[in-house]
Amino acid sequence: MKLIIKPEKGLGKIEVELSEEVWREIEQLSERYGVPPEKIIEITLTSEFRKPRGDLEELEGKVKELEEKVWELEKEYAPLRFKAYGLSEDNKILAIELTGLMAENNQLRRFLKLPLRRDLELRKLISYYMR
């Protein structure tokens, strides 16, 4: 792959040929850290590397401990999230049924030549649960 580096000001530019292996490594770093490949190249060229503060193995151990805590919390809250999802789906179904009943009620009122009810607050509540 050909890499072209252009300065922000001025005319000069640098062209560098990158091997496929180097480009794959840059893409892996990009995916791993969630930054664009251009930023990885910029950091590499300007030597903006951060030195770890402390023992790297100790930091990795703390990260593993935190990951275990996160998974424990995930196990604890997953059933609650599932129940909440089920309830929200039930609310959607009820909102749809209520909309149908309101429409049927309005049709009956028209048939009986009674004034229609607009129920704006109820309609706002239904639209909230339909989302």
Side-chain angles (χ1 to χ4, degrees), residues 62-78:
K62 287 181 181 179
V63 167
K64 285 184 182 180
E65 287 176 23
L66 290 172
E67 283 177 352
E68 289 174 10
K69 288 181 183 178
V70 165
W71 283 113
E72 288 174 17
L73 290 172
E74 182 69 26
K75 288 177 191 175
E76 185 178 331
Y77 289 109

Side-chain angles (χ1 to χ4, degrees), residues 19-101:
S19 67
E20 286 296 318
E21 181 181 335
V22 172
W23 182 248
R24 270 189 260 118
E25 189 70 30
I26 289 171
E27 286 180 334
Q28 287 175 356
L29 287 171
S30 172
E31 290 174 13
R32 182 175 177 187
Y33 294 109
V35 295
E38 295 82 16
K39 185 69 177 170
I40 298 286
I41 294 169
E42 180 184 329
I43 290 171
T44 304
L45 292 175
T46 58
S47 300
E48 291 180 10
F49 298 109
R50 293 183 182 169
K51 305 279 185 198
R53 297 182 207 141
D55 186 22
L56 194 57
E57 291 176 11
E58 180 183 333
L59 293 173
E60 287 175 351
K62 287 181 181 179
V63 167
K64 285 184 182 180
E65 287 176 23
L66 290 172
E67 283 177 352
E68 289 174 10
K69 288 181 183 178
V70 165
W71 283 113
E72 288 174 17
L73 290 172
E74 182 69 26
K75 288 177 191 175
E76 185 178 331
Y77 289 109
L80 293 174
R81 279 202 322 268
F82 180 73
K83 287 179 185 176
Y85 174 75
L87 289 174
S88 71
E89 291 300 307
D90 290 345
N91 284 342
K92 282 183 185 179
I93 291 169
L94 290 173
I96 291 169
E97 287 179 14
L98 184 58
T99 303
L101 291 172

